[in-house]
Amino acid sequence: MTDENEPAVRAAIDGEMRLLDPEVRASPARVLELLDPEFTEIGASGRRWDAESILTVTSGGSVSPESPVEVSEMSGVVLSPGIVHLTYFADNQGRRAWRSSLWRLTETGWRMYFHQGTLTS
């Protein structure tokens, strides 16, 4: 990562970590602030989600303060100005997955445009 790309990658990582925060996830308004209006996800289950449907998962208590998601191997790269790709490993109470996100810079800040999870053993 070059020094000029570091702020963009850091902003995307910050947004990703906020989306994993149980307090943020409990607030649909705060989640929607971090999701691009054109957000889509292909979940580890294989299900496809959009910004509205993902709120059922984020507000459903799938992540709690007592058992936060453990994140490791987080890395990011700027694909082009205003687009950051993140990859990381997540363990949510034994449900382990490789995760990949695309973050896009908008007029209101960095927002997650796409996310995918792939379960692993």
Side-chain angles (χ1 to χ4, degrees):
M1 173 171 50
T2 64
D3 289 341
E4 66 190 42
N5 291 332
E6 187 174 344
V9 171
R10 295 248 178 258
I13 291 172
D14 178 58
E16 191 83 37
M17 297 307 292
R18 287 189 319 202
L19 281 171
L20 293 171
D21 183 316
E23 189 176 305
V24 172
R25 294 171 73 86
S27 169
R30 290 177 72 186
V31 170
L32 288 175
E33 287 175 358
L34 293 166
L35 298 181
D36 191 276
E38 297 177 34
F39 169 82
T40 59
E41 174 175 338
I42 299 171
S45 65
R47 182 173 173 189
R48 190 176 168 131
W49 305 85
D50 62 16
E52 288 299 318
S53 64
I54 201 69
L55 294 177
T56 61
V57 173
T58 57
S59 63
S62 61
V63 176
S64 70
E66 296 78 31
S67 56
V69 175
E70 295 177 30
V71 174
S72 60
E73 300 183 51
M74 177 76 76
S75 66
V77 62
V78 173
L79 298 178
S80 66
I83 304 289
V84 171
H85 179 224
L86 297 180
T87 57
Y88 62 98
F89 186 78
D91 186 331
N92 184 8
Q93 301 176 27
R95 189 168 193 247
R96 301 159 43 101
W98 284 104
R99 303 241 168 225
S100 175
S101 298
L102 289 176
W103 286 79
R104 174 162 78 170
L105 184 58
T106 69
E107 292 178 0
T108 58
W110 287 94
R111 291 177 167 226
M112 183 186 285
Y113 176 77
F114 176 79
H115 184 78
Q116 184 166 358
T118 304
L119 291 177
T120 187
S121 54

